[in-house]
Amino acid sequence: MSKKLIDSGNAAAAMAVQLAAAEVIAAYPITPQTPLTEKLSELIAAGEMDAEYVAVESEHSALAVCIGAASAGVRPFTATSSNGLLYMSEQLHWAAGGRLPMVMCVVNRGIGAPWSVWNDHQDAISQRDTGWIQIFAKDHQEIVDMTLKAFRLAELVHIPVMVNYDGYYLSHTYMPFELPEAAEVRAFLPDYDYKHTLSPEHPESLNTVTLPDARNDINGVKQGSYMDIRHNLHQEMCLAMDVWEEIDADFQQRFGRGGAPILDPYCCDDAEFVVVAMGSIANQFRDVVDRLRQDDGLKIGVLALQMYRPFPIARIAEALQSFKGVMVCEKGLSYGNQGALYADLKSALYPYPARPRLHNFITGLGGREIRTDDLYLALKTACLQDDLTTPVQNDTPQWIGLQL
Amino acid sequence: MQKEFPQMIQIRWHGRGGQGAITAAKVVAEAAFKSGYTGVVMAPTFGTERRGAPVSTSLKISRAKIYDLSPITTPDIVVVLDHLIINEVDVTAGLKPGGLLVINSPRPVQEHQLPGYRVAVANVTKLGIEAGLRKGIVNSGIIGALSKASGLLDIDMLTRCIADEFAARKPEDNARSAQLAYDATQISEPNKGDAHA
């Protein structure tokens, strides 16, 4: 029997990892991730989870332990936030380049300096080019479901997966969610079977120094070198989008939830304007959109981006190409340029001649309160601007909630 | 008698760091969820809290799923775990006209009346000791006062959830503390408050 309960987002993540039967947990505490790994250590200590908890002295070591575990054919899990993720950065590239399947929850938090323990997305966005798959959850149910699906994706495509959810907004907030039955999860997520498992009987050289050119192996078979290996990572990461959709379809059949694994639209069918966002703020926008439709008669919808890397270029461009205006609202940016998502989206829309006008909003950095009224006003202003006979394309990020 | 409630009930809790306001809100969230509310969101506001400093948390309860996780700005109900916080924090900020203010206070309700608001008072600190709790344990008791004054959730469901939450820390005494506060809560209606203002 599945179980419905109310608990924190961190607890939801921990229970999903328990259901996924992760075998090695290595993590270093950092706010707001700490309660997640505390819960896992409690489950293991109480004998309710058959896993090895490795207490490490840093995030760098946490991911190194996971890399070792995955190499030995064991299912690892770790979690972190903010500067902890950055301390792992070298190992992030290594895990992806080494094609080691693993799942990490990143409980999104702003990066110091100055210190902030509160939420934004700069931690995950700054690691977007490491070769990890990055998905973003909007609520506790998605934390559970995405974590379970992420293990299967990682192990099918041999690429590590980062499950992102908002610090405090989700990690420390209590809301209801459903946990599937353990036996049904086992049927959905079979044991991890790694064909390159470290074994003295079958010695292999893995991730040694590669020369610039491809060369033959000891059997005379031509093997790609660094560039070829990295090319394959890119190709297979792009294909992972299709695999993610297949996994979601199977999950939906088994558990009755899913159907929007990459893009989750709300009120977009008849819309002229669409706001694009990731994580819990995309849900907040649903209420804003309802109000703009009801009070102002504006035909507006919201498109939640659930998968940021690989970036669903074709899917998102096709979904957005014919709208009048698109507002991209982000909790992070590429300093000196624009929001990273905004730039990605603008680039994806380039081939479409009828592409919409674009607006870039930055909000909620370091936990700055995101007032629903402010979002309402920002969207309304942007819609009215797009309705002018000669609208101006403003490429400069607009900040919502500044207190300067 | 089941009252008619608006689409969403928003309850803001004010307490002191270490007083257990978040735990109290969590218990009410659990009870609301078990009573069939689909939308329940308890979102603590985290600051640089330390023991004794004022803290607050948001609880939203609705029959439909809740999408907006931003902190409550216009509460229907405000719960205050320590009446002295009223001198430090503007606890009624944004409280809707006719809204409910629930206070743990040794003073009678007449001394807490506020124009335009319903005010409910119970001496939860004293009742907690009578129930067998250590002095200063008020987060279970205040739930009883909230239940009596709001009619939002059944007191039996709430005491059951309290006993579950405090399973390892005097579950029965904590549940009794809520029942005692429920029985002792005094309520002042808004018009009466106006007259005394």
Side-chain angles (χ1 to χ4, degrees), chain B residues 123-181:
Chain B
N123 190 345
V124 175
T125 309
K126 179 171 144 269
L127 295 167
I129 295 165
E130 281 174 27
L133 297 174
R134 187 161 49 80
K135 189 181 176 188
I137 304 294
V138 296
N139 59 343
S140 46
I142 196 77
I143 294 169
L146 169 67
S147 170
K148 177 68 167 287
S150 68
L152 180 61
L153 294 163
D154 185 59
I155 184 67
D156 294 331
M157 169 64 86
L158 287 164
T159 49
R160 273 202 301 281
C161 289
I162 289 171
D164 287 349
E165 174 65 32
F166 294 91
R169 293 166 291 167
K170 300 193 172 186
E172 282 131 38
D173 295 347
N174 275 295
R176 193 178 318 121
S177 166
Q179 184 66 54
L180 290 177

Side-chain angles (χ1 to χ4, degrees), chain A residues 40-173:
Chain A
L40 286 171
S41 72
E42 284 165 18
L43 290 170
I44 293 167
E48 291 171 35
M49 186 175 172
D50 184 17
E52 183 80 20
Y53 192 100
V54 185
V56 287
E57 84 292 353
S58 76
E59 286 87 356
H60 189 277
S61 299
L63 199 51
V65 167
C66 290
I67 287 169
S71 306
V74 171
R75 182 177 287 160
F77 174 81
T78 187
T80 190
S81 298
S82 183
N83 290 56
L85 180 66
L86 303 198
Y87 196 21
M88 283 180 180
S89 190
E90 178 206 6
Q91 300 285 24
L92 289 176
H93 288 271
W94 192 270
R99 302 301 297 271
L100 293 167
M102 64 183 70
V103 172
M104 163 161 61
C105 282
V106 175
V107 188
N108 302 117
R109 160 183 158 181
I111 293 168
W115 280 122
S116 169
V117 299
W118 291 274
N119 170 247
D120 68 38
H121 287 169
Q122 197 69 45
D123 51 4
I125 295 301
S126 77
Q127 300 303 304
R128 67 175 187 179
D129 298 334
T130 54
W132 280 61
I133 292 168
Q134 293 184 316
I135 50 180
F136 283 79
K138 303 196 292 293
D139 59 26
H140 291 17
Q141 192 64 61
E142 289 189 353
I143 294 174
V144 171
D145 296 351
M146 278 184 177
T147 300
L148 294 174
K149 288 185 277 190
F151 277 103
R152 185 154 141 194
L153 177 64
E155 291 168 16
L156 276 175
V157 300
H158 290 93
I159 298 172
V161 181
M162 198 182 287
V163 179
N164 292 278
Y165 59 90
D166 289 309
Y168 294 116
Y169 289 111
L170 295 179
S171 68
H172 285 63
T173 292

